[in-house]
Each structure stands twice: as C-alpha cells, then as structure tokens.
Amino acid sequence: MADTLVETNAPYAIRTYSPEQLKDALRKMFLIRKFEEGAEDSYMRGLIHGTMHLSIGQEASAVGSCMSLTDADKITSTHRGHGHCVAKNADLGKMFAEFFGKETGYCKGRGGSMHIADPSKGNLGANGIVGGGLPIAVGAALSAKRLGTGAVTICFFGDGANNEGAFHESLNMAAVWKLPVVFVCENNKYGMSTSTARSTAVKNIAERAAAYSMPGVTVDGNDFSAVTEAVDAAVARARAGEGPSLVENLTYRWRGHSKSDRNRYRTKEEISEWMERDPIVAMSNLLVAHKILSEAEVAGLEEQATQVIKDAIEFAAASPDPRIEDATRDVYTEGAAA
Amino acid sequence: MNAMTKTELRELSYAEAIREAMDIALASDERVVLMGEDIGVYGGAFQVTGDLVEKYGTDRVMDTPISELGGAGVAVGAALTGLKPIFEFQFSDFAALAMEQIVNQAAKVRYMLGGSVSVPLVMRFPAGSGTGAAAQHSQSIEAWLGHVPGLKVLQPSTPEDAKGMLLAALEDPDPVMIFEHKILYKMKGHVPEGYYTTPIGKAAIRRPGKDLTIVATSMMVHKAMAAAETLAAEGIDAEVIDLRTVRPMDRETVLASVRKTGRLVCVYEGVKTLGVGAEVSAMVAESDAFDFLDAPIVRLGGAECPIPYNPELEKAVVPQVPDILDAARNLAKGRI
C-alpha cells in the first residue's frame, strides 16, 4: 500500500498527492495530447476552418499548475489554451464543438479555439491578445480579496507576453495591492518565431519578479512534480494573503506556432531533443516507478483518452451550427438597453 | 427659513451630481468600487470623486498606478468576477492607452463567450476642449468607442442627467462608457435628491420647435440652446435635441423631429469626418424622414486637426454659437 511505504525522498508530487489524484493528472495530460492530435487531424480533414495553436509538449505545465486549485479558483489562459481548459475540468465534447463552430460549443460557436472559457469551473477564458489576460487575472484576484471568497487566480501567459506593457503593469498592481494571483509563464522559447534570447533582456523571465518585489522561480516545465511544487507553493502563499508570485515553466511546443508556421527559426535537432523530454512519458515513468500505476494501466489511460476524444469529435461533428439570424445575439445582455 | 428651501429647486454642479451618484452607489452596493488615477485624497484631477475616499476608504476608492491599460484590464477582470467597478480615466485622451482592454476585452468578452458572462463595468472619461490643455488632453473620442458593438456610450449634458445616467449605467449589465465634458463640471443645475435613473438610449428634446432640428451632444447642447434663443428672436423656431446616448442612438426621437421640421443641423465637438453627426445624418438619409427634408443636412463638427493650444485657435476648431446661428439662418431662409 502506498500509504505504508511513504518515501520521504520521493518527488514532491508523489509525497503530496494521492494515487487517485496523480492518476487523474496523467489522465488529463493524455486528454490534452489526444485533444490536440484530434484537433490537428480534424483540421487536415477540413472540419476546422480557423487556425489553431497546439500545446503538445506542454501538458505538464497546464495540469501541474492547476493541481491545488478548486472550481472556485480562477484561471486566465492564452491563445495556446486547450490544455488549461482540460486542466480546469472542461468538457471535451463542448471544447470540440466550439472548435467546430457549433451551437453546442462552450461559446456557441462564437469564440472558437482562442476563446474557450468555462466560468462555472473558474476558467475565465483563453485570449486572442498576447498579454490580454494578465490584467484581467489581477482584476479577478481583486474581486476575490474584496469579496473575501478565498479564491486564487492563476494567470497563464507565454514568454511573448512578458514583453507587453500589460505584463509589467499587472505584476506591479498585483504586488502593490498584495493580491492572490499566481503568474505562470509558460516559456516555450519562442513568441511565434522570435526567441526569448532575441526578444527578452533577462535570461530567465522569472528574474523580472524581482522588479515587482515578488518571488520568482524558474522550473523544468516538463517535470510535472517540479511544476506542481513551485505553483502549489505560490498558490498557498496567495491563499494566505501574502501576495502574488511568478513561476516560469520552461517547456516547448512540438508543433509550430500555428498552422502557418514553416518552422524556419528552429532546428529539427532542437525539436527532437525536446521530444525526447516528453512530459507525458516522464509522468508515466514517475507513476510506474512509484508503483502508483502499472505500465498496462498507463496504456489503459491513453486508450481511454483516445476514446474520449473520439466521442467528443463525434459529438461536435453531429452538433448543429448556430443559426444565421442569431449572429448578433449576445452582444448585449438581453433586456438591457441596446 | 425652511419654507424657502422647499420652493427652490436644489442645484448641484455637474461634478457634484456625479459624485452624489457614486456616493449613493457606494452606500447601497458593496460590490461598487471606484478606481482611477489620483481619485483618492487628491479627489480626482477635476475633483469629481472629491472626498469620497474619506467616507469609503482606500479599498473602495482606489488610487491606481499610472497604468491605464493595466488598470482598465483590472476593472474588466473585477467586473467579470463579482465587483461593479467605476473606472475614471484622468482624461479621455488616455483611453488610447487602454483601447486593448476596452475594445478587445470588455466589449467583446460576452459575445466571444457565447453570452455566458457579462461585464458590469462603468468607465468615466473627462472629455472635450476649452481648457487650454492642447492636443493630448482635449479630444472628443466618443465616436471611436461608439463604433464598437458591445459598448454603450453616453454623453450627459446636464447635472441631472450626469447623475441619472451614471446610476442607470450601474444598473446595466454591460460595459457603459460615459463621456463628461470638462467645461460642464462646474455648471450648475437642478438635480433631484435620492435615487433615480435617466434612461440609456433615449434622447431629450430640450426645446421644442417647428422650423428646424438641431441635434447636439454634450457641451454643444448648451451652445445650441443659446443659438436657439437668438433664433427665436429672429422668428426661427428651432427644436434642440440632446442626443445623450451615442450608442445605442435614439432613432425615433431624431426621425420624428426631422419629419416635423424638415431641416437638420448636427452639432458635435468630435472631428467632423466619421463622427457622431455622420451617423445621425446617415440615419435620417436612410429613413422615411429623408422624404421630409426641405434642405440638405448640415453637420458642424470639429476641424480636421488636433486641438491647438492658442485660445483663439482652440475656439476656432470646434463649433461655436455663431457657427450654429449661421447654419440655422441659412437653412431657415432656404439659402442651402
């Protein structure tokens, strides 16, 4: 039994979370991977007409960061946000339906991939504007503090956003007002094609935390336990009323920025090297090594995820399109002056 | 004597009326917070928030850093999650720094999310020229925001409406942008006591008339009223409509007036081209009221330049009473 063999030198996640929670985390990581692969496949088959920003390779960052959150806690997400939705317990069918532009989707087909949100689960939404979610996250944290809800907000953003004015203004205000928000930077090395080395004056984005008098830490974003350990500490600090933190998860997107990307700014070797560091393989190995799952059970989780995504795509494909006459619905709240 | 005060209507300045609305809102709804630059002990650049911080404390009357983009975004996030922020821009010109959050976030989030959220946010913009503050502190940018579906855009011209429209904005579940002309802040007028709302999207006929219609906004309403008095002495009976709301625009009131008078002058301080008057004119031109026109529509708007510093130049680039008189006389006498 796991509880009779507590390993004091085991990684943080193993020491902190129950086997059920860890198994669920791996399940979500598989769901993200399969969602993204399903999205790519649907695009190839002409079922999705917009572009997409896939987070394959970044699954540990999304799931690991949300481990200590409840549905009352908020997140704001980015244009590369499918993983965050899954980590925050989104319904895969409604996600795919949104991707397909269907009335049954999270945004009734009005938002698409870049705007999936689920306020009932605390997911305030992805964002098509780089840095757009940063001040909104600070606002959510302000509400939590004023209304005394005890909720914490995790603000996901990419390395590209760290050079937006909104990033600096947001970190400053969060620190000045000591708000319960955790800034999680998913540094996947490139803002579209421009590397952090070419765009960012500091070596590690977490160094920028010092300018706003908050803790900043850089971790291996493909190491589930390392992510969880860093973000959990920041969430606990926020919950205790001690203010914001910045956590930088170093990770990598295996796919291009979007469908228009010809991958001219990075080498095949670099991509292969990062694919060797697959966060799902690492997490699976971790759970097998600590006897939380057998290899067969890991394979079972993957199969299960494949089936969930297959069902989600079927649900989306069979769903109705929005009605043309409803194109201007929901611009304003019904019943209010408009 | 108490008897005297009972018969006299209570007067407040435009700024005091806005403050009274915010006071009522802060007292009656814990979710209301004021945010803005120097709105606390300083009292706001135009002394609109005044001493509210002493009554409600710095948690509810929050000085923000000089971070318009971030501050506006914090207000959007707070509105999405249970608060009702009233965000003051120090000058409406500074909204340019925050357009991302106003236009891409506040205005669109409800639609983008399929109607699952609303953004009960009020933003206040001290606007307009006449203070010698030059090109970056004097603009009238209501048409910029009026172009964005998802926003509501108000321009109250009297103390009574300034209070009533702010309270109406706070009842509204959607983001409401209120442009307050800086020259009006000190103007006094009757303001009813207690709680009341002035409807959003409803113009006011300030002076009924039969010969021509003057549709005006904000400060221009007062110039139009002054012109109408002079015109009346000349035997020209002008109807003055205070548009009050730029978006959604009160189509019915404007069209009914034009059907009656057959002549239309639009007066607005924003740059003439693609401004509020362009929309009013198009609204008339596209409707049956067009058939009632006896003369071409006249637009009087801001000149095609930034607001200059020199006081004579500053006056020259926005419509003044003589400009309205000229236009009205020409229209009434059939010269146009």
Side-chain angles (χ1 to χ4, degrees):
Chain A
M1 293 294 289
D3 56 350
T4 59
L5 296 168
V6 175
E7 303 167 72
T8 50
N9 58 350
Y12 168 84
I14 303 294
R15 284 183 275 124
T16 309
Y17 290 100
S18 71
E20 273 316 301
Q21 286 171 310
L22 294 167
K23 186 179 153 189
D24 191 54
L26 180 59
R27 181 185 68 85
K28 285 179 177 170
M29 290 169 70
F30 273 125
L31 281 174
I32 296 170
R33 178 70 56 91
K34 300 298 173 189
F35 180 92
E36 303 290 48
E37 289 172 354
E40 200 168 34
D41 180 62
S42 301
Y43 181 84
M44 300 301 183
R45 291 195 286 137
L47 294 168
I48 293 169
H49 81 118
T51 189
M52 66 186 72
H53 308 91
L54 302 177
S55 66
I56 295 174
Q58 301 186 181
E59 295 88 348
S61 172
V63 178
S65 296
C66 293
M67 281 302 282
S68 65
L69 300 189
T70 70
D71 285 353
D73 295 315
K74 312 290 187 199
I75 66 164
T76 61
S77 168
T78 72
H79 59 283
R80 202 173 305 288
H82 306 148
H84 308 142
C85 294
V86 175
K88 208 70 171 76
N89 304 313
D91 178 288
L92 279 299
K94 288 173 82 173
M95 281 179 70
F96 256 111
E98 188 55 38
F99 222 148
F100 283 27
K102 300 302 181 99
E103 185 69 27
T104 52
Y106 264 113
C107 312
K108 299 175 182 159
R110 306 313 196 275
S113 159
M114 279 190 281
H115 301 294
I116 295 174
D118 186 358
S120 70
K121 299 272 171 61
N123 178 357
L124 297 176
N127 213 303
I129 304 295
V130 171
L134 278 147
I136 291 174
V138 177
L142 177 69
S143 287
K145 186 167 178 174
R146 286 287 165 275
L147 301 171
T149 65
V152 169
T153 301
I154 285 188
C155 172
F156 287 104
F157 63 102
D159 48 283
N162 105 98
N163 293 317
E164 289 278 8
F167 166 83
H168 296 274
E169 293 186 16
S170 297
L171 266 69
N172 183 58
M173 282 185 283
V176 166
W177 294 328
K178 232 178 172 183
L179 297 178
V181 55
V182 178
F183 298 98
V184 173
C185 179
E186 297 188 311
N187 181 352
N188 61 19
K189 292 175 67 105
Y190 299 93
M192 219 159 147
S193 69
T194 309
S195 67
T196 50
R198 291 170 58 215
S199 67
T200 303
V202 289
K203 184 168 181 291
N204 292 311
I205 290 165
E207 291 169 34
R208 292 200 154 154
Y212 305 104
S213 287
M214 67 175 77
V217 57
T218 302
V219 300
D220 178 353
N222 284 10
D223 177 341
F224 174 86
S225 186
V227 169
T228 305
E229 184 164 18
V231 179
D232 281 6
V235 168
R237 183 171 184 272
R239 233 186 268 289
E242 291 164 27
S245 309
L246 172 58
V247 177
E248 178 185 18
N249 295 335
L250 296 177
T251 184
Y252 199 79
R253 57 168 158 78
W254 293 8
R255 297 295 191 265
H257 163 74
S258 69
K259 299 314 293 180
S260 66
D261 191 337
R262 294 177 297 166
N263 266 323
R264 287 189 163 184
Y265 51 87
R266 53 186 194 175
T267 61
K268 286 202 175 73
E269 289 71 29
E270 182 183 285
I271 298 171
S272 314
E273 191 187 306
W274 277 92
M275 287 174 75
E276 290 296 310
R277 297 168 55 188
D278 183 339
I280 295 184
V281 170
M283 176 68 163
S284 302
N285 290 344
L286 179 75
L287 299 194
V288 170
H290 291 275
K291 303 198 172 12
I292 288 162
L293 289 174
S294 67
E295 283 185 20
E297 285 168 321
V298 169
L301 279 181
E302 182 170 8
E303 254 170 64
Q304 207 184 77
T306 304
Q307 189 58 45
V308 168
I309 296 304
K310 191 166 165 276
D311 294 346
I313 292 174
E314 272 173 28
F315 166 78
S319 287
D321 281 317
R323 301 186 313 163
I324 301 294
E325 54 268 41
D326 288 335
T328 58
R329 190 188 61 197
D330 294 326
V331 175
Y332 296 102
T333 303
E334 221 170 291
Chain B
M1 290 282 290
N2 284 342
M4 189 184 80
T5 55
K6 271 184 188 168
T7 55
E8 280 184 3
L9 289 174
R10 184 183 71 133
E11 289 210 332
L12 292 181
S13 75
Y14 187 95
E16 287 164 345
I18 295 166
R19 189 183 316 140
E20 187 167 274
M22 293 193 290
D23 195 354
I24 289 170
L26 285 161
S28 62
D29 190 343
E30 276 295 321
R31 295 169 300 171
V32 172
V33 291
L34 311 190
M35 301 176 65
E37 293 162 10
D38 306 295
I39 66 165
V41 289
Y42 195 96
F46 298 95
Q47 294 300 314
V48 179
T49 47
D51 294 335
L52 288 174
V53 70
E54 286 173 22
K55 194 165 166 188
Y56 297 100
T58 53
D59 279 354
R60 299 192 66 204
V61 182
M62 298 174 63
D63 278 324
T64 65
I66 302 175
S67 301
E68 286 82 5
L69 169 63
V74 170
V76 174
L80 277 168
T81 51
L83 293 180
K84 291 173 84 171
I86 303 175
F87 188 88
E88 176 180 303
F89 282 89
Q90 197 157 79
F91 287 80
S92 68
D93 312 67
F94 306 166
L97 291 152
M99 287 302 262
E100 198 285 290
Q101 284 292 330
I102 298 171
V103 174
N104 285 323
Q105 312 293 341
K108 292 179 184 152
V109 66
R110 176 176 176 78
Y111 186 83
M112 293 189 299
L113 269 51
S116 64
V117 296
S118 61
V119 187
L121 166 67
V122 177
M123 289 182 155
R124 297 181 34 249
F125 303 85
S129 66
T131 63
Q136 296 171 335
H137 294 74
S138 302
Q139 290 167 94
S140 296
I141 62 162
E142 55 281 349
W144 298 7
L145 299 188
H147 198 64
V148 182
L151 301 181
K152 296 175 186 180
V153 181
L154 319 184
Q155 284 189 284
S157 74
T158 67
E160 179 174 355
D161 282 0
K163 177 180 168 185
M165 294 189 99
L166 179 51
L167 290 172
L170 282 163
E171 276 190 7
D172 198 289
D174 299 318
V176 180
M177 313 284 115
I178 307 181
F179 287 87
E180 303 163 355
H181 202 293
K182 297 184 289 270
I183 300 295
L184 293 176
Y185 278 135
K186 289 186 175 158
M187 193 190 82
K188 291 208 165 207
H190 168 57
V191 177
E193 309 253 7
Y195 188 88
Y196 66 93
T197 58
T198 305
I200 292 171
K202 191 84 192 94
I205 298 173
R206 295 297 180 198
R207 182 189 190 284
K210 60 179 177 18
D211 295 334
L212 72 126
T213 299
I214 305 176
V215 174
T217 56
S218 188
M219 185 65 202
M220 292 301 150
V221 173
H222 302 280
K223 293 183 181 176
M225 289 298 283
E229 289 314 305
T230 304
L231 292 168
E234 298 170 14
I236 301 170
D237 188 17
E239 177 148 301
V240 178
I241 293 178
D242 177 354
L243 203 54
R244 298 204 289 196
T245 305
V246 168
R247 183 185 190 94
M249 208 173 266
D250 182 355
R251 181 182 160 85
E252 291 317 312
T253 300
V254 173
L255 298 189
S257 179
V258 173
R259 284 188 203 107
K260 180 172 71 173
T261 65
R263 291 176 173 82
L264 172 62
V265 184
C266 307
V267 198
Y268 53 109
E269 188 169 324
V271 171
K272 181 177 168 183
T273 303
L274 298 168
V276 170
E279 188 57 37
V280 173
S281 306
M283 194 168 75
V284 171
E286 286 177 336
S287 77
D288 69 290
F290 179 76
D291 294 333
F292 292 80
L293 284 175
D294 295 322
I297 296 166
V298 176
R299 282 186 292 153
L300 300 175
E304 305 297 319
C305 62
I307 299 291
Y309 170 65
N310 174 283
E312 294 309 314
L313 292 182
E314 186 180 18
K315 266 187 229 151
V317 300
V318 300
Q320 302 297 342
V321 175
D323 303 316
I324 302 171
L325 286 173
D326 284 351
R329 286 172 186 143
N330 285 337
L331 267 186
K333 289 171 187 167
R335 289 191 204 128
I336 293 179

